[in-house]
């Protein structure tokens, strides 16, 4: 396949959402789908769907739309790494455990291979098949296992130290679930998800009566 330029972040996000919707569609026995049907599933416009899929260098036919199986495979070629990527979770509390359980056995290209915590009661326990190591061993295990992505689910006050340590260990991407905004070096891809901000934004628009 021809090497594509880097896609816009939002397109990559939507491609991941398309694939999830398409996998459900395919499991229900549907083999072809039109852009307006994908758009309807994700509450976006058909133009947006067509544009994203065109950016991947893929197209459907006017009469039958997209081949669902082929489209799932094309999205995989674009957004997945050839080799599977190893992920670790730092902070095995309520959220960390939920993430580990959610991912357990689900993704083939993204695998949570280790967890880390400072609480001795959690160290050397196994959560949904994932070993929890002492935080002191984080650098060693990340290097040994060639882990490339770290998910931070520690209390906010510890997030900055954890992310510094992740970067030193050679991590390439960080997903920060804590409300503390992080600063990482430019060669590390950082994504932050602050649930409270999202909820407060929704509450603001609900209060304004502006719900689209
Ligand atoms: P929690 O207190 O249940 O778990 C935090 C875990 O991190 C504990 O096991 C603790 O021992 C560990 N920890 C603390 N410092 C550490 C360090 N330096 N290295 C490794 N482990 C360390 O908290 P939680 O509810 O799971 O929330 C975790 C983070 O996610 C918080 O920052 C919280 O604001 C955020 N968050 C949580 C939720 C949720 O639904 N629980 C939702 C959104 C955001």
């Amino acid at each position: 396949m021809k090497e594509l330029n880097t896609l816009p972040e939002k397109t990559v996000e939507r491609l991941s959402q398309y694939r999830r919707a398409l996998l459900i569609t395919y499991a229900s026995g549907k083999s072809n789908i039109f852009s307006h049907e994908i758009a309807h599933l994700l509450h976006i416009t058909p133009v947006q769907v067509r544009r994203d899929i065109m950016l991947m260098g893929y197209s459907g036919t006017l009469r039958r739309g997209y081949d669902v199986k082929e489209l799932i495979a094309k999205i995989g070629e674009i957004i997945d790494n050839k080799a599977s990527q190893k992920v670790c979770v730092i902070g095995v509390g309520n959220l960390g455990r939920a993430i580990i359980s959610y991912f357990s056995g689900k993704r083939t290209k993204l695998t949570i291979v280790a967890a880390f915590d400072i609480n001795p009661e959690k160290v050397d326990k196994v959560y949904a098949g994932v070993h929890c190591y002492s935080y002191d061993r984080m650098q060693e295990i990340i290097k040994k296992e060639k882990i490339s992505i770290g998910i931070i689910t520690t209390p906010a006050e510890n997030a900055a130290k954890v992310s510094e340590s992740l970067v030193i260990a050679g991590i390439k991407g960080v997903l920060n679930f804590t409300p503390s905004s992080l600063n990482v070096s430019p060669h590390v891809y950082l994504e932050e998800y602050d649930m409270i901000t999202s909820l407060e934004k929704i509450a603001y628009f609900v209060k304004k009566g502006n719900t689209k």
Side-chain angles (χ1 to χ4, degrees), residues 13 86-91 95-96 99 102-103 110 112 148-154 159 162-163 166-167 171-180 182 184 188-195:
E13 268 176 31
K86 292 185 179 178
V87 182
C88 64
V89 171
I90 308 94
L95 186 58
I99 291 171
Y102 177 75
F103 266 83
L110 285 174
I112 297 180
S148 57
I149 299 173
I151 302 178
I152 306 180
T153 48
T154 63
V162 169
S163 81
L166 284 172
V167 173
I171 280 282
K172 299 282 182 286
V174 172
L175 175 55
N176 173 28
F177 271 105
T178 81
S180 152
L182 299 176
V184 294
V188 174
Y189 188 88
L190 171 70
E191 185 77 32
E192 309 202 285
Y193 182 64
D194 179 2
M195 201 181 286

Side-chain angles (χ1 to χ4, degrees), residues 92 97 117-127 132 134:
V92 190
R97 284 199 305 274
D117 207 290
I118 49 167
N119 182 342
E121 287 178 16
K122 297 182 178 174
V123 170
D124 286 335
K125 295 244 162 63
V126 175
Y127 296 91
C132 177
S134 162

Side-chain angles (χ1 to χ4, degrees), residues 101-157:
S101 309
Y102 177 75
F103 266 83
S104 168
K106 248 201 189 114
R107 300 281 189 282
T108 49
K109 299 284 183 183
L110 285 174
T111 318
I112 297 180
V113 295
F116 302 96
D117 207 290
I118 49 167
N119 182 342
E121 287 178 16
K122 297 182 178 174
V123 170
D124 286 335
K125 295 244 162 63
V126 175
Y127 296 91
V130 176
H131 191 104
C132 177
Y133 297 91
S134 162
Y135 178 66
D136 300 338
R137 297 189 60 198
M138 188 171 82
Q139 303 235 351
E140 167 209 335
I141 303 288
I142 286 176
K143 285 182 187 141
K144 191 171 109 204
E145 292 280 345
K146 298 193 171 56
I147 298 171
S148 57
I149 299 173
I151 302 178
I152 306 180
T153 48
T154 63
E157 59 271 22

Side-chain angles (χ1 to χ4, degrees), residues 13 20 26 43 77 81 83 88 93 122 135 142 201 204:
E13 268 176 31
R20 260 174 288 158
Y26 190 63
H43 311 291
E77 280 174 34
N81 245 28
C88 64
K122 297 182 178 174
Y135 178 66
I142 286 176
K201 189 168 86 186
Y204 171 80

